[in-house]
Each structure stands twice: as C-alpha cells, then as structure tokens.
Amino acid sequence: MINLKKHIGIALAYFLAVALMGVLLRFYVVTSLPFNYKYLLHAHSHTALLGWIYLGITTLIYKIFLSSAEKPKLYKRIFLFTNVSIMGMLITFPIQGYALFSIIFSTLFLFASYWFTWFAMKYVPQHFKNRFSWKLIKTSLWYLVISSIGPWTIGGVMATLGPESIWYKTSIYFYLHFQYNGWFILALLGILFYIFEEKGIQFKPEKLKSFFLLLNFGVLFTLFLSVLWFGPPIVFYVLGLVGAVAQGLAFYEFYMLLKDHFPLMKKSFAPRAFFLLKIAGGLLVAKLLMQLFSAIPYVANLAFQLKDFVIGYLHLVFLGIVITTLLAFLKYFKLIKLPKSFIWTFIFAFTTTEFLIFYKAFALWLKLPFISNYYMLLAILSLSFPIAVSILFFKNIFLKYSKNM
C-alpha cells in the first residue's frame, strides 16, 4: 500500500516553497536582495504548477481511478522520477534561470507527465472506462500532453528568433492556457463528477454530452484570447469571443446540472471544504466574465499594457479557483486536514493582495490616486501566504488526522 498522505505532504512542502518564493519576489521590489528576480520567478511558477498543483491532482487521480489497478511499484517509480525533476527545477532555476540544467530537469518533467498519462490510460480498471468522470480525466490528461507543445517550442524559438519574439510569449501562453483551462479544470471536474457518481447522482446523457462538447469547444477556442496581446487580425478576436461564450454556456449547463444537488453536496463535504468550493464557484463566474471582456480589442490591449490585470487574473485562477477546489477535494478524500486558521489566513492573503494588484491596474488606467507605499504594503500582506501554508503544512505533517478538523 502506498501512503498517499506522505505524497500530499511532499506536495504541500512545494506549496510552502512557492509561498516563500512569492514573498521574496514581492520584497525584491522594495529592498535589495541577493538574487536574480527572473530566475526566482521561473522557480516560483514552475514549482507552483508542476510541484504543488500537479502532484495534488495526480495523487487524487491515482487514489480514485488507479489504486485498484494494483500497480503500486510502477506508480512509486513515476512519483520518484517526477520529484527528481521537480527538485532539479527548484534548485537550478534560482541559480541559472533558463539554462542547461534547468532545461534538462524541465524536459525530464515533461517525460514524467507523459509517463503518468500512459500509466493512467493503460491501467485504469475497465469499470471506470464508461464513466463520465473518467471521460473528463482522460481528456484533461490529453490537454496536459498538448500543453507540453509550448515548452518544446521555446528552445527553438529562443535559438532562432530570440526571447523578444512574439512566438516566445505565445509558446508560454499556449502552455499556460492548456494547463489551467484544460488540464487543471477538466481534471478537477472529473474528480467532482466521480463524487457525484459515488453518491448515486445520475444526469441525463444528452445534458452531459452537451456540457462536455461546449466545455472542450471553449477550451480550444479561448486559446485565441491568449494571443490578442500582439494585435492580430480581427478574426482572432471573434474566435476568442466564440470560445469565451462557449465556455460560459458550458458552465451554465454545469450549474443547471448541479443546482438540484447543492443540498447533497453541502452534506457530503466538510463545512470548510464546501466553503472553499463556494469561493471557487464565485470566482469562476468572475473568470468567465473577464474572458468575455478580454475579447474586446480595447480591453485586450489594456491588459497587455497593464500587466497587473494579467497577474491578478492568473492569481485569481490558480489561487482562487484551482487551489481552493484542490484543497476541498483533498479534504473530501481524507488526504489533508483543513485547519480553520489556515482557511482565514489564506483568504485574507488572497483577498488583500488581489485587491491591491487589481487596484494598481485600475489606478493606472483610470488615473485614480495611487496608494502610498504600495509595494511595501503588498509585500507585507504577502507574508500571510507562507504563514497560511505553514499552518496547513505543519498541521498535516505533525498532527494525527482527526475527522473533526
């Protein structure tokens, strides 16, 4: 038997490292610190997506769909190989940025993700294959593979066109888009629908089919929203808008599927986990609206000029939607405890820093008064992130699991 709580403990350690690096990046702006900002930023983003979130989701997929396949030794090898690549990136990126060794470890991670995808597709038990939950998980894994096209192209682009080329940023945005809109979101939806299936909730097949088609149509076409920053032909804006509308309709269908089952959901999840899911749901609506507005040429250009809009949006998606949902599911499957002190400290950190990030963008846009000592205030408020994650990490590492938590 594999102790999956230990695996999640490792993922939480990466989460803590991400939070600490985030604080260092914020304080870099207000004081002299002995590191390269871009190098640490690379380490921060890679460890967040590939260390913490990736391990959290793949551990859940293994627990739910693959543990009964009885291939624990193979999974342990994949997990070990994955962590070697993550640790390699965590060490090399702050030292050298994108260079030989960090690229080697990044490439190893891509192979680790392919290995896990192959493992999941090959060994998922037959009784899962016709489930809608597995259909979503399988599709999310394909988006994980598709997203890797971005990193593969970066080396060639840098060698031929340079980092100032539009293709360099496009490769990064391609990767990010299929990570959070494809891999993360569909995987989390797959886990949610597994919970519904286990609770005996049945949905009309035609409704599930409509939701699935609109969802994937939205994922593919909202990719065009990621390239509007360089002012492409108007057809790109139209296709991006079509994708944003499709994604909005998909989640409207999703809401209609769930609306009669909210009481059961509330009963099934622990109060703190359900509270996090409500936050994620509210912020998902905000995300969908922001995508719709970003298809307007003026707004797309504004977001390119004022990077805080993009930073705030990405933090809203990763911290406010993906991570809150992931934590709720980890709690549901009894892989973590969710201390009350963590919940409120994390929410305080998220809401205050998001407010400042978006306020700065709106202040620059609308010529509003700028907050005095803005960067120092942002850095100080950001300290609450590692405090929150430290609470979560140490409560889960050193205290025994209690169903009352």
Side-chain angles (χ1 to χ4, degrees):
M1 281 290 291
I2 299 174
N3 188 341
L4 294 180
K5 286 186 185 179
K6 286 186 178 179
H7 288 196
I8 293 301
I10 293 169
L12 290 175
Y14 290 131
F15 191 15
L16 181 56
V18 169
L20 290 168
M21 285 188 284
V23 168
L24 287 175
L25 289 168
R26 292 270 164 82
F27 273 98
Y28 184 91
V29 181
V30 295
T31 187
S32 177
L33 291 172
F35 62 83
N36 184 294
Y37 181 88
K38 284 189 176 181
Y39 291 0
L40 193 67
L41 181 61
H42 291 319
H44 172 75
S45 58
H46 280 75
T47 309
L49 302 187
L50 313 181
W52 154 231
I53 299 177
Y54 176 89
L55 286 184
I57 292 176
T58 52
T59 301
L60 281 169
I61 291 173
Y62 176 80
K63 178 177 176 61
I64 296 167
F65 297 98
L66 300 163
S67 56
S68 59
E70 297 182 352
K71 292 287 181 180
K73 288 184 179 179
L74 179 54
Y75 177 70
K76 281 182 180 178
R77 292 191 198 108
I78 297 171
F79 185 80
L80 178 61
F81 182 67
T82 303
N83 277 278
V84 168
S85 66
I86 296 167
M87 284 301 299
M89 288 186 284
L90 182 57
I91 293 168
T92 56
F93 269 118
I95 297 170
Q96 60 175 196
Y98 271 108
L100 176 62
F101 291 106
S102 60
I103 290 172
I104 288 172
F105 285 114
S106 301
T107 305
L108 288 176
F109 179 86
L110 294 180
F111 287 121
S113 67
Y114 299 157
W115 195 4
F116 178 83
T117 299
W118 167 84
F119 171 70
M121 302 282 194
K122 182 173 176 62
Y123 291 110
V124 63
Q126 185 65 37
H127 64 274
F128 283 124
K129 289 186 177 180
N130 292 323
R131 287 196 181 193
F132 185 68
S133 59
W134 175 249
K135 187 177 183 179
L136 287 166
I137 295 293
K138 185 170 66 173
T139 308
S140 77
L141 290 168
W142 280 118
Y143 283 131
L144 170 64
V145 173
I146 290 169
S147 74
S148 69
I149 295 171
W152 282 121
T153 59
I154 285 176
V157 169
M158 288 186 71
T160 55
L161 302 173
E164 301 305 316
S165 163
I166 62 169
W167 293 107
Y168 176 76
K169 285 185 178 179
T170 300
S171 298
I172 294 173
Y173 289 150
F174 180 96
Y175 172 73
L176 287 173
H177 171 79
F178 283 109
Q179 281 281 303
Y180 71 80
N181 268 322
W183 156 230
F184 293 158
I185 297 295
L186 266 77
L188 293 171
L189 285 170
I191 294 165
L192 183 60
F193 273 94
Y194 169 83
I195 294 171
F196 294 149
E197 291 163 358
E198 291 301 294
K199 295 292 179 183
I201 298 174
Q202 295 184 340
F203 302 103
K204 292 181 180 178
E206 62 271 19
K207 292 292 184 181
L208 292 178
K209 183 178 180 181
S210 173
F211 166 62
F212 183 78
L213 290 175
L214 282 168
L215 183 64
N216 284 281
F217 191 87
V219 171
L220 295 173
F221 278 79
T222 50
L223 174 64
F224 290 98
L225 298 176
S226 299
V227 298
L228 300 183
W229 56 273
F230 64 80
I234 195 66
V235 66
F236 281 70
Y237 294 89
V238 174
L239 293 173
L241 177 61
V242 168
V245 170
Q247 204 164 68
L249 290 173
F251 280 102
Y252 175 74
E253 292 255 4
F254 177 65
Y255 171 77
M256 295 303 290
L257 285 169
L258 299 194
K259 68 174 185 174
D260 294 331
H261 304 292
F262 286 134
L264 180 59
M265 283 182 65
K266 186 175 182 180
K267 191 183 299 182
S268 301
F269 285 89
R272 293 170 198 169
F274 189 68
F275 178 59
L276 289 178
L277 287 178
K278 288 195 292 184
I279 291 173
L283 292 175
L284 177 62
V285 174
K287 172 188 181 293
L288 296 172
L289 290 173
M290 290 169 76
Q291 286 186 161
L292 276 171
F293 282 111
S294 69
I296 301 170
Y298 175 78
V299 177
N301 185 55
L302 188 69
F304 174 63
Q305 291 178 344
L306 302 175
K307 294 293 188 291
D308 291 276
F309 278 125
V310 176
I311 294 168
Y313 171 79
L314 291 174
H315 282 183
L316 181 144
V317 172
F318 292 125
L319 290 167
I321 300 173
V322 174
I323 288 177
T324 51
T325 306
L326 176 58
L327 289 169
F329 290 163
L330 290 172
K331 169 62 179 172
Y332 178 86
F333 289 101
K334 295 181 169 58
L335 290 173
I336 63 167
K337 299 177 282 289
L338 280 177
K340 189 175 183 179
S341 51
F342 160 74
I343 297 285
W344 291 113
T345 309
F346 182 80
I347 290 173
F348 172 80
F350 174 74
T351 53
T352 55
T353 55
E354 279 290 277
F355 172 79
L356 286 178
I357 290 168
F358 277 112
Y359 181 82
K360 180 189 171 190
F362 277 103
L364 292 171
W365 173 33
L366 302 173
K367 305 294 189 295
L368 300 174
F370 202 68
I371 298 171
S372 61
N373 298 316
Y374 168 85
Y375 293 104
M376 179 59 77
L377 180 60
L378 182 60
I380 292 170
L381 289 172
S382 298
L383 284 168
S384 48
F385 275 120
I387 292 171
V389 181
S390 295
I391 294 168
L392 182 67
F393 177 74
F394 289 110
K395 288 280 188 180
N396 281 280
I397 295 301
F398 294 118
L399 295 182
K400 291 182 179 180
Y401 186 78
S402 166
K403 290 184 179 179
N404 296 322
M405 287 296 293

